[in-house]
Amino acid sequence: MSGFEAFVYHNGELFVENVSLKKIAEKFGTPCYIYSQSALTNAYQQFDAAFEGRDHLICYAVKANSNLAILNLLARLGSGFDIVSGGELQRVIRAGGDAQKTIFSGVGKSVNEMRMALNLNILCFNVESEAELSILNQVAKSMNKVAPVSLRVNPDVDAKTHPYISTGLKENKFGIAMDEAMEIYQSAHLYPHVRFTGIDCHIGSQLSLIEPFVEASEKMLQLFDRLKKQKFNIEHIDLGGGLGIRYNNEKPPSIKEYVSKLCSITRNIKQRLVIEPGRALVGNSGILLTRIEYLKQTPARNFAIVDAAMNDLIRPSLYDAYHEILPVEKNTIEAKNYEIVGPICETGDFLGHDRKLSVMNGDLLAIMSAGAYGMSMSSNYNTRPRAMEILVVGNQPHVIRQRESIEQIIAGEQIIAY
Ligand code: LLP
């Protein structure tokens, strides 16, 4: 079982595993994110099994969904973590994750973040520029440590995905060009407090074709060979994340197909393979549950105004992303085409366009495939408290994040006397 299969209709009513979404809404209110423990576990195990005994480390990309309970679940399964901030690192540690299985990505690590990560002895820093390498060397020196480093190279591959989430083209801000990376590895003596332990790349997100992964992996292999000839002791090859999921009618490679391909391209080397999947683990393990507040007809359109909005799930507004929207209870009312919109004061506040639904005021809708980059990108825009999060384990829904209160939102603010 994976993804959508955790969310199924029984007698016209949508369930998560064996739990009624209607009951969850009655008990906990809406909007709320609901995740399936078994779907997430299954996705992780599919990745793990596909390596077939090959030395590997799956470093879950925390940014996709950073709830402590989700991280804890993955840590229990043996997952490592890919972090991009000190905050994410603290989450991993709080959730019981292993620093020795944690890699630190991102173009702009601060000195404080580097210190925190060095103190915790993380597995590796994925360094994205010579300037960053030089600072990391100084920070490590000041702490009398040696920082393990992979250079994140930019393989100049077109990932054929949305331009905002494509990262492996030479025009992007990410990574270091191949030749330049080679020169930096060769200048290792300039950085005595850095030890080059790996090579890394990540070409983009929501990739639905295997070819860009193949192309990038082949280029990484060439780099590995060049380094090997020069007697570098590279311990791991990190091929990043990016495997897409089905939101609508995309047909991304399966987890097995993707991992097998990476293994087969690198079959002649014994180094550990690292990958950094986010979306493919959690995306289809979660939904956003929302209730229709009002149906509104204008001369031009039908609107279903729901209680979730772009602050809860920004992907449709930001990337024009498609999320399937399903009624929690099927009925026989005449179907109409609706704009599914939130209460926020922006025309860009929509969750779906032109969706054919049979619905009434008060009905529940499930916004599908919302487990990745949903809650983690949410905000308090319009002073809207962030949604509750629920993890369904077996037949039991567990609250893994309380609904935020207005008090919590304004807690740090002050009126000043002047
Ligand atoms: N590794 C690095 C260095 C990354 O930058 C990312 C994602 C990942 C791994 C995980 O990629 P995934 O396996 O999830 O595709 N907010 C966007 C996606 C941004 C992805 C950023 N980097 C969205 O909602 O589609």
Side-chain angles (χ1 to χ4, degrees), residues 119-168:
N119 258 326
L120 288 164
N121 291 321
I122 64 160
L123 178 62
C124 192
F125 290 83
N126 288 343
V127 166
E128 301 223 12
S129 65
E130 207 169 354
E132 183 193 336
L133 188 65
S134 163
I135 297 289
L136 180 59
N137 183 60
Q138 281 173 32
V139 175
K141 182 174 179 202
S142 74
M143 297 171 70
N144 210 9
K145 290 207 169 225
V146 175
V149 164
S150 283
L151 292 185
R152 173 169 174 185
V153 298
N154 182 330
D156 193 20
V157 167
D158 185 357
K160 301 200 169 56
T161 181
H162 191 287
Y164 286 11
I165 53 176
S166 181
T167 52

Side-chain angles (χ1 to χ4, degrees), residues 75-324:
R76 288 195 220 185
L77 291 168
S79 184
F81 297 93
D82 169 48
I83 55 159
V84 288
S85 71
E88 286 190 351
L89 178 52
Q90 292 192 30
R91 281 181 176 277
V92 166
I93 301 303
R94 284 273 188 100
D98 184 351
Q100 259 300 298
K101 290 184 181 174
T102 300
I103 50 177
F104 197 163
S105 299
V107 287
K109 301 171 196 79
S110 72
V111 166
N112 280 342
E113 289 174 326
M114 289 175 178
R115 277 211 189 96
M116 190 195 297
L118 282 166
N119 258 326
L120 288 164
N121 291 321
I122 64 160
L123 178 62
C124 192
F125 290 83
N126 288 343
V127 166
E128 301 223 12
S129 65
E130 207 169 354
E132 183 193 336
L133 188 65
S134 163
I135 297 289
L136 180 59
N137 183 60
Q138 281 173 32
V139 175
K141 182 174 179 202
S142 74
M143 297 171 70
N144 210 9
K145 290 207 169 225
V146 175
V149 164
S150 283
L151 292 185
R152 173 169 174 185
V153 298
N154 182 330
D156 193 20
V157 167
D158 185 357
K160 301 200 169 56
T161 181
H162 191 287
Y164 286 11
I165 53 176
S166 181
T167 52
L169 278 172
K170 62 177 185 297
E171 318 46 78
N172 299 137
K173 71 176 172 186
F174 297 98
I176 303 170
M178 283 281 179
D179 288 341
E180 196 190 331
M182 198 59 212
E183 282 166 26
I184 301 176
Y185 277 110
Q186 284 163 339
S187 61
H189 58 282
L190 299 176
Y191 308 101
H193 286 268
V194 156
R195 191 166 70 91
F196 288 121
T197 58
I199 55 177
D200 166 53
C201 75
H202 169 76
I203 55 174
S205 198
Q206 183 52 16
L207 271 65
S208 52
L209 297 171
I210 194 89
E211 288 76 15
F213 288 119
V214 170
E215 202 185 323
S217 309
E218 281 169 350
K219 288 191 175 175
M220 293 296 282
L221 207 53
Q222 285 164 16
L223 176 65
F224 173 80
D225 283 339
R226 284 168 75 185
L227 288 166
K228 195 172 157 203
K229 281 200 190 97
Q230 302 201 10
K231 307 274 178 267
F232 278 95
N233 184 21
I234 296 300
E235 295 162 14
H236 72 256
I237 299 188
D238 181 344
L239 296 171
L243 178 64
I245 60 169
R246 189 175 73 77
Y247 285 97
N248 188 8
N249 45 21
E250 304 90 336
K251 291 201 176 60
S254 69
I255 292 172
K256 185 169 175 20
E257 194 185 332
Y258 160 79
V259 172
S260 303
K261 196 66 171 181
L262 302 185
C263 289
S264 114
I265 294 169
T266 55
R267 65 189 167 279
N268 291 328
I269 62 169
K270 62 174 185 351
Q271 272 64 20
R272 166 184 270 200
L273 285 187
V274 177
I275 54 169
E276 307 166 356
R279 190 189 321 261
L281 281 167
V282 285
N284 273 332
S285 307
I287 63 160
L288 173 59
L289 187 64
T290 183
R291 198 179 282 283
I292 299 177
E293 303 266 32
Y294 304 103
L295 292 181
K296 170 171 175 174
Q297 255 108 59
T298 69
R301 288 212 163 120
N302 300 314
F303 291 92
I305 303 168
V306 299
D307 63 6
M310 66 189 282
N311 76 299
D312 299 301
L313 180 66
I314 202 175
R315 304 193 69 261
S317 307
L318 189 58
Y319 315 114
D320 223 353
Y322 181 96
H323 285 258
E324 190 153 340

